[in-house]
């Protein structure tokens, strides 16, 4: 079984910063993509960043480009989301997702973190 545990959420004033982390544990052979999603109140969950196996991050929500930095540390099975210059519209639940292979012969299976609340006040 694979578990993803997130940490780092909280409340901050506009212009502030937070860093989220998401660590995988359990039977893990390899991790393919690491992905961050965000769900703003009243909307559906949206993908905001994808980090491939080379560590290259691609931001799929233009509103976070230049402010958020997604990264990964495979030695720690962890992905990070550094969020700077936060805005009230960044308020929401942030979730991580990893595509995991549990053995050399298994298929990739997706796992989700529990989600962490980020609240930005004006």
């Amino acid at each position: 079984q694979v578990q993803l545990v997130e940490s780092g959420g909280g409340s901050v004033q506009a212009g502030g910063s937070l860093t989220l982390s998401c660590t995988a544990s359990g039977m893990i052979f390899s991790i393919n993509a690491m992905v961050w999603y965000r769900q703003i109140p009243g909307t559906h969950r949206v993908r905001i960043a994808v980090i491939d196996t080379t560590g290259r991050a691609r931001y799929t929500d233009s509103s976070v480009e230049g402010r958020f930095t997604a990264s990964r540390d495979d030695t720690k099975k962890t992905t990070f989301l550094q969020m700077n210059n936060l805005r009230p519209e960044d308020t929401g639940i942030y979730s991580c997702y990893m595509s995991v292979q549990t053995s050399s012969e298994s298929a990739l299976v997706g796992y989700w973190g529990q989600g962490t609340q980020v609240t930005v006040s004006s």
Side-chain angles (χ1 to χ4, degrees):
Q1 186 70 5
V2 175
Q3 291 186 322
L4 273 56
V5 177
E6 298 180 42
S7 62
S11 298
V12 65
Q13 289 192 325
S17 298
L18 285 173
T19 298
L20 308 182
S21 64
C22 172
T23 299
S25 64
M27 186 172 290
I28 298 171
F29 176 75
S30 68
I31 302 175
N32 197 327
M34 297 183 179
V35 189
W36 285 97
Y37 287 79
R38 174 172 70 185
Q39 184 170 16
I40 295 171
T43 70
H44 60 277
R45 187 163 52 191
V46 173
R47 185 180 63 188
I48 58 174
V50 180
I51 311 105
D52 65 22
T53 56
T54 70
R56 183 175 64 109
R58 177 169 55 92
Y59 302 95
T60 51
D61 184 335
S62 60
S63 71
V64 309
E65 283 200 78
R67 300 187 299 123
F68 290 12
T69 302
S71 61
R72 63 190 285 167
D73 183 342
D74 285 282
T75 65
K76 297 179 180 179
K77 300 182 178 62
T78 298
T79 178
F80 302 95
L81 186 66
Q82 170 71 43
M83 306 183 292
N84 297 325
N85 192 20
L86 283 160
R87 305 166 180 167
E89 53 265 38
D90 292 318
T91 294
I93 297 174
Y94 287 71
S95 300
C96 61
Y97 172 93
M98 295 187 188
S99 184
V100 177
Q101 196 177 12
T102 56
S103 73
S104 61
E105 298 178 346
S106 68
L108 289 168
V109 177
Y111 294 89
W112 288 93
Q114 80 278 15
T116 188
Q117 177 70 42
V118 170
T119 302
V120 185
S121 58
S122 57

